[in-house]
Amino acid sequence: MKTLVVGLGGVTNGGKTTLAEKLKKMLPNCDVICQDDFFKPESEVETDERGFKLYDVLDALYMDELVGSIHSWLKSRTSSGVVTGEPQKNTEVCILIVEGFLLFNYEPLNEVWNRRYFLTLPYEECKRRRSTRVYQPADKPGYFDGHVWPMYLKYKNELEESASNIVYLDGTKSQEELLSCMYSDIIQELKKPRE
């Protein structure tokens, strides 16, 4: 049984969850893990001097548990899966999509990715989308500009300086266009020989 692990990271409100769920429906034998499911409880998240809860940092997440979930998925795959379309190879593949805003800045995850995608948005569009969402706890006034956006820029800059093999996607494009791009790319990846 071969596996393909796809990381879908990027900006808050960039469309990661929507794309991951749509891809799951399109790709047979595909599962999704959401990084948001690994947030620590509010009481364990640090607060800065402005009173902002620091959710947009790795310390706000149970990252070891996320890594453990991915490794458990890799170990538990069975022999039902996707046929790559090449009759002579006829190899079945299980696909895992891991989506979240801080996936590629955490060293222990770097060994698991077969493909990495990073959604970007310009500041104004990101802020507009973020303002339409309701969070628990709710965003305080100034939270986006004081914490969320600066942390996104920090982690994005780190990626651009150190990480390779990341496909950057423009989150202002239509969901259909982004979905088509990712789907085609994943299908191409499935056709490559696996170890």
Side-chain angles (χ1 to χ4, degrees):
M1 172 57 62
K2 295 179 181 179
T3 57
L4 183 76
V5 181
V6 175
L8 177 55
V11 68
T12 181
N13 294 280
K16 299 177 297 294
T17 305
T18 302
L19 279 171
E21 290 302 323
K22 287 183 176 182
L23 282 166
K24 180 180 178 180
K25 291 176 184 173
M26 294 172 70
L27 296 165
N29 208 34
C30 180
D31 294 305
V32 173
I33 293 177
C34 299
Q35 187 179 37
D36 284 358
D37 294 339
F38 296 86
F39 270 111
K40 293 178 179 176
E42 185 179 357
S43 62
E44 292 182 38
V45 176
E46 286 188 44
T47 304
D48 73 4
E49 66 281 352
R50 299 164 293 185
F52 294 153
K53 284 287 186 180
L54 303 180
Y55 279 105
D56 288 62
V57 298
L58 288 167
D59 285 343
L61 297 146
Y62 292 119
M63 291 301 292
D64 290 341
E65 289 182 19
L66 173 61
V67 172
S69 293
I70 294 168
H71 286 294
S72 292
W73 181 91
L74 286 165
K75 288 177 189 169
S76 69
R77 292 308 93 199
T78 62
S79 62
S80 63
V82 178
V83 177
T84 62
E86 297 180 33
Q88 69 275 19
K89 295 186 180 173
N90 211 19
T91 305
E92 293 178 345
V93 179
C94 290
I95 303 166
L96 176 64
I97 299 171
V98 182
E99 65 92 358
F101 68 108
L102 284 178
L103 297 176
F104 310 132
N105 302 81
Y106 189 65
E107 188 65 34
L109 284 176
N110 288 341
E111 67 190 46
V112 302
W113 309 121
N114 297 106
R115 295 298 287 153
R116 297 191 289 180
Y117 303 93
F118 190 90
L119 280 159
T120 64
L121 281 176
Y123 167 83
E124 289 298 336
E125 177 62 12
C126 185
K127 188 171 185 174
R128 184 192 67 75
R129 290 185 189 183
R130 177 89 180 198
S131 71
T132 66
R133 298 270 298 271
V134 178
Y135 290 91
Q136 279 305 110
D139 284 357
K140 288 186 172 190
Y143 185 67
F144 181 83
D145 289 319
H147 177 64
V148 176
W149 188 254
M151 288 297 98
Y152 162 69
L153 292 178
K154 175 185 183 284
Y155 287 116
K156 183 175 178 273
N157 289 337
E158 285 177 9
L159 282 185
E160 290 169 346
E161 290 174 11
S162 64
S164 60
N165 299 321
I166 294 179
V167 177
Y168 289 90
L169 300 170
D170 179 354
T172 63
K173 292 186 176 178
S174 71
Q175 284 285 321
E176 293 73 25
E177 192 174 347
L178 292 168
L179 193 59
S180 174
C181 173
M182 288 185 66
Y183 179 79
S184 298
D185 194 55
I186 290 169
I187 295 301
Q188 288 303 310
E189 185 68 23
L190 289 175
K191 291 179 180 177
K192 292 180 182 177
R194 290 252 170 290
E195 295 176 6

